[in-house]
Amino acid sequence: MFGIYRFLLALNVVFFHILSVPSIGPLAVYSFFILSGFLMTHIMHQTYFYNAAGLKKYFLNRFYRLYPVYWCFLIISIIIIFIVGHEFSESFHSNIKYPNSLSSFFANVTMIYPDLEPSKYPIRVSP
């Protein structure tokens, strides 16, 4: 039941952004965050528990859920940058560039950006 409600809230956000339907987007975002926070707390309490083994299981699950897909998109982005060139990719988004240092390579591979606002990190292969 919560999944359907979250889907409807996400759909309202999409309608707000794409179709400019007034008033429903911000309310849907806040409701989505509240419901997601409740569900995360419930899942942590019921499935992973609050101990070292449970947290390890949780972080391993998050790793398997996020990183393989991200790395696939990272590879696709590198191929796209190679095909269309830096000039076109930078005109599309100013931060789309190949990493030029070990720290920017590490940040792009791990999604751990040394910035308080990762969206403003100067080099992101796959924003």
Side-chain angles (χ1 to χ4, degrees):
M1 176 164 143
F2 289 118
I4 294 170
Y5 188 54
R6 286 178 65 200
F7 172 74
L8 292 174
L9 290 171
L11 198 60
N12 283 330
V13 173
V14 169
F15 287 152
F16 175 74
H17 285 292
I18 293 177
L19 303 175
S20 299
V21 177
S23 302
I24 63 171
L27 182 61
V29 168
Y30 293 129
S31 300
F32 186 85
F33 285 153
I34 290 170
L35 181 60
S36 295
F38 167 76
L39 288 174
M40 281 303 304
T41 303
H42 180 71
I43 288 170
M44 286 297 294
H45 184 67
Q46 296 293 325
T47 304
Y48 298 108
F49 311 108
Y50 288 100
N51 57 31
L55 289 175
K56 180 181 173 185
K57 184 179 173 185
Y58 168 76
F59 284 115
L60 193 61
N61 186 11
R62 292 298 291 171
F63 176 85
Y64 287 138
R65 189 177 270 211
L66 296 176
Y67 280 93
V69 173
Y70 175 72
W71 288 334
C72 285
F73 279 106
L74 196 66
I75 291 169
I76 291 169
S77 295
I78 288 170
I79 292 169
I80 290 173
I81 293 170
F82 180 76
I83 291 172
V84 300
H86 287 287
E87 295 80 21
F88 180 78
S89 63
E90 287 180 12
S91 68
F92 175 71
H93 193 289
S94 62
N95 295 348
I96 297 178
K97 302 173 188 167
Y98 288 129
N100 58 2
S101 68
L102 189 58
S103 64
S104 65
F105 175 79
F106 178 79
N108 278 278
V109 169
T110 62
M111 288 191 288
I112 301 173
Y113 296 101
D115 198 335
L116 292 176
E117 294 183 61
S119 64
K120 297 192 189 274
Y121 190 71
I123 298 174
R124 288 185 329 225
V125 177
S126 183

